[in-house]
Amino acid sequence: MPHYEPLNTAALAEIMAIVGDKYVLVGPDIPEEYTRDAWTPPGPPRYPEAVVFPANTEEVAAIVRSANRRLFPVVPRGGGTGLSGGTVPVYGGVIVDLSRMNQIIKIDPKARYIVAEPAVLTLDIQKEAAKHGLLYAGDPSSDDCVIGGNVATNAGGNRAVKYGVTADQIYELEIVTPQGEIVNLGGRLKKNSTGYGLVKLIIGSEGTLGIVTRITLKLNRLAPIFTTSLALFPNFSDAAAAVTVILDDPLLDPISLEIIDQKTMAALARYREDWRFSEQGGDCLIIQLEAKDEGEQAEKQNQLAAIIQKAGGIHLHPDSEKVWQARREFGKAIQAESSVLGIEDVVVPVDELPDFSAQLYKIAQTVGLEVRIAGHAGDGNVHIQILPGDTPEPEWESKFHHFTQILHSDVYSRGGRISGEHGIGVKRKQYFLEHVNPVELELMKSVKKSFDPQGILNPGKIFDIAGI
Amino acid sequence: MPHYEPLNTAALAEIMAIVGDKYVLVGPDIPEEYTRDAWTPPGPPRYPEAVVFPANTEEVAAIVRSANRRLFPVVPRGGGTGLSGGTVPVYGGVIVDLSRMNQIIKIDPKARYIVAEPAVLTLDIQKEAAKHGLLYAGDPSSDDCVIGGNVATNAGGNRAVKYGVTADQIYELEIVTPQGEIVNLGGRLKKNSTGYGLVKLIIGSEGTLGIVTRITLKLNRLAPIFTTSLALFPNFSDAAAAVTVILDDPLLDPISLEIIDQKTMAALARYREDWRFSEQGGDCLIIQLEAKDEGEQAEKQNQLAAIIQKAGGIHLHPDSEKVWQARREFGKAIQAESSVLGIEDVVVPVDELPDFSAQLYKIAQTVGLEVRIAGHAGDGNVHIQILPGDTPEPEWESKFHHFTQILHSDVYSRGGRISGEHGIGVKRKQYFLEHVNPVELELMKSVKKSFDPQGILNPGKIFDIAGI
């Protein structure tokens, strides 16, 4: 690990002078939530030495410059809803909580863009766009996540099938560099060959190459009609096979194509009575389509119904709000029935999905664990919930580790990767090291060292850097 | 500049052992074309010390490793059709001509991707895709450019309006790093949050961060119907204003939206008789639309005709092959009438285009030069051809320089950049240095230094690195 100094009185005074005393928390005033995000790291909780709430970019930059002079780690934090421990203070230091930087700065409906600070809820960006008859296409299936966090992990979500991931929505980023300088990267441009494309490098770097302080996002036209369908299948492999048929159809062009296995559907029905979408149960696809008018809508629905029927499924039209609410909360429904749970976020080429999911059930059976599969089938990114089943508690950790290793090897063998959208953070660091190409890893590390020679910004995430 | 050693006998013998004697050119055997690309640098021609023709990735890597041991520059070269001197051997060394690596390795029409070596003509990738009823969406308006060069400059071209730039077509790259290692970056994945997004960093880095040796590209569905229209306007500002109206229309969704001013149209008509598309002349838009069937085609054409009429234009349907051929060769038509010529490649936010183009004519008038404007109006990327007009030859260089400085300042003031798709290379290096944010430049340089500590790969492009 890099060399750090403890946060002494002088350092603390300097930070307080930057943001004001009341925006600094230390010692017992630091709530336990700052030891984790939505994933809790194993072992005793690691607290930061201080939590700081800057008001603006200049304050963020001043804190980072102080950290470079005084050698303490700086860990940026957005909504705290990450799933990989990206905001865990591995080496102590200061958590920069960006929650005061939560304003939508500007929306230009004609030129179709919006400018937001990092702690704006992604949901609020969607709502603000919708007010102007526009669509913010990023949609990471969460009521609580903030846009800065979406940038940090390059979140994908429900609409990536048609509209791409967060990186595809971004025109421009203002960042504070790991050395405390402020710079705008990118531009409101559809093309740009003017030097290296640094903006894409920052996106998905999990707060290790810069703190994102302002974000300019593209907005799309909002289609006049959205239709959400459910398709229920007698088994998972039929549902998975229908995914590519739907994607291959030239008419449908779905904006979302989600899969939820039948055990998760049953858990949802137990969790909330009105999330029982059918009596017969089954493995489920959620298909959201856009249409420009009722004629196109009817044409698409007929086509979709024919595909589902041919694939052996049943086509339902439940209330779409309820469907998406259930989709967002499937994790909670599973957690309600099993407090012991592992979550994986693998991604494979879409055409690999049927064979991959069949293999997944086999791996679980071999190891002796249960799995639930749900997620973004349309882009090959599935969230796998791993449950102990009959496994006694003392054996859980080692079985889970064993399962994950076989899973990841299988994913890599198909050209997949171990995270589609949650990121590596702390949680997947060891697994990442096992599979990443060593040349690629060295390039990543060399970029990190060049941006952050003292290892100040969010150290211990994605990979460790020794001796800088 | 970094420290280099001349290519001595031992180094040359090592290179010959790697690729075979007959694939190495030295001294007077090196043709003059290796001193330039489609842009000729000012001053006496700079020859490389050798030109090498590797057969495969391993040979490329061996050459680069040799260069790192013996400290000679390595300059990758694809089709030699670049417009910024990206393949000029600024500091001598070895040009790695990739022309033998010109095979399409694989096409998978079902999973919709193609794998190609860097020297495959982009046109041949389009043709191969079309054979399978698919579209390769990259289209840099050139019959001669190769896919490796498209990656190097992140070429945009005609269809970026709908399909994005080269970066948006790429799943995976195999590269040889500046230190001579071979690595695959990216994957055939729609989402990936597994470490830094290095593949996007390589794209557009103009051969300074890696030599691209294999490229996996996305293919799109080929629409059943394409329609090319011309719209002629009495003046440029009306044509430019119509661009945003066409883009704002929710029905049309053009795949190409090009602009050509009336003087260029007149030059085309003089260059080839069958490129006279109308008797009355005028400033011109080329609009290409896709349609799923004849009904949609008719609906779109009616809508487009109404927009053009309302904007004061005339709607024509000439032979589309002829239109696109003329579009690809407008530069040749202008060059036929003026051997002295400057070409710029600026990009601005699309909504800035009408005001920007009006300003452009004013700048030309003030400085006393003539301009021709043509290019990718739909994404704000216009190619400006600058002609001496009545300017006496001795004054041309300084006037052109003066014009370019005012132009670039205007472009930056609108949030634009000095290259939309041609890149910086040697040609725009000084202008780039004048305008780039110094923090951004330092980040770029630090990335370069971290990838290429000895400054071996394509030195002197985009920016100079001192003392590494």
Side-chain angles (χ1 to χ4, degrees), chain A residues 153 193-194 196 208 221 247 419, chain B residues 153 193-194 196 208 221 247:
Chain A
T153 62
S193 296
T194 310
Y196 299 163
T208 65
R221 273 190 213 93
L247 289 174
S419 175
Chain B
T153 62
S193 295
T194 309
Y196 299 163
T208 65
R221 272 189 213 93
L247 290 174

Side-chain angles (χ1 to χ4, degrees), chain A residues 189 191-195, chain B residues 84 206 343-348 356 380-384 404-413 415-436 462:
Chain A
L189 302 169
K191 291 176 174 171
N192 186 1
S193 296
T194 310
Chain B
S84 311
E206 304 191 33
I343 303 173
E344 290 303 317
D345 171 47
V346 300
V347 59
V348 295
F356 169 67
N381 173 219
V382 286
H383 301 312
I384 305 165
T404 309
Q405 286 193 307
I406 303 175
L407 169 72
H408 288 169
S409 295
D410 185 83
V411 163
Y412 265 84
S413 74
R417 291 293 183 273
I418 65 174
S419 175
E421 58 183 13
H422 294 172
I424 302 301
V426 174
K427 180 181 174 183
R428 297 188 177 85
K429 206 162 56 168
Q430 281 310 313
Y431 295 116
F432 177 60
L433 287 177
E434 284 172 31
H435 291 286
V436 64
I462 311 179

Side-chain angles (χ1 to χ4, degrees), chain A residues 127-195:
Chain A
K127 284 180 188 166
E128 186 66 25
K131 270 189 217 165
H132 298 272
L134 294 168
L135 173 76
Y136 173 64
D139 184 23
S141 306
S142 161
D143 293 336
D144 315 314
C145 69
V146 298
I147 191 68
N150 295 175
V151 176
T153 62
N154 194 12
N158 291 327
R159 297 181 191 135
V161 184
K162 177 160 182 175
Y163 290 105
V165 295
T166 299
D168 298 304
Q169 321 307 327
I170 290 177
Y171 274 133
E172 189 169 353
L173 292 179
E174 177 193 76
I175 67 162
V176 171
T177 71
Q179 299 191 64
E181 294 181 289
I182 300 167
V183 64
N184 282 286
L185 301 174
R188 200 159 60 72
L189 302 169
K190 294 191 182 179
K191 291 176 174 171
N192 186 1
S193 296
T194 310

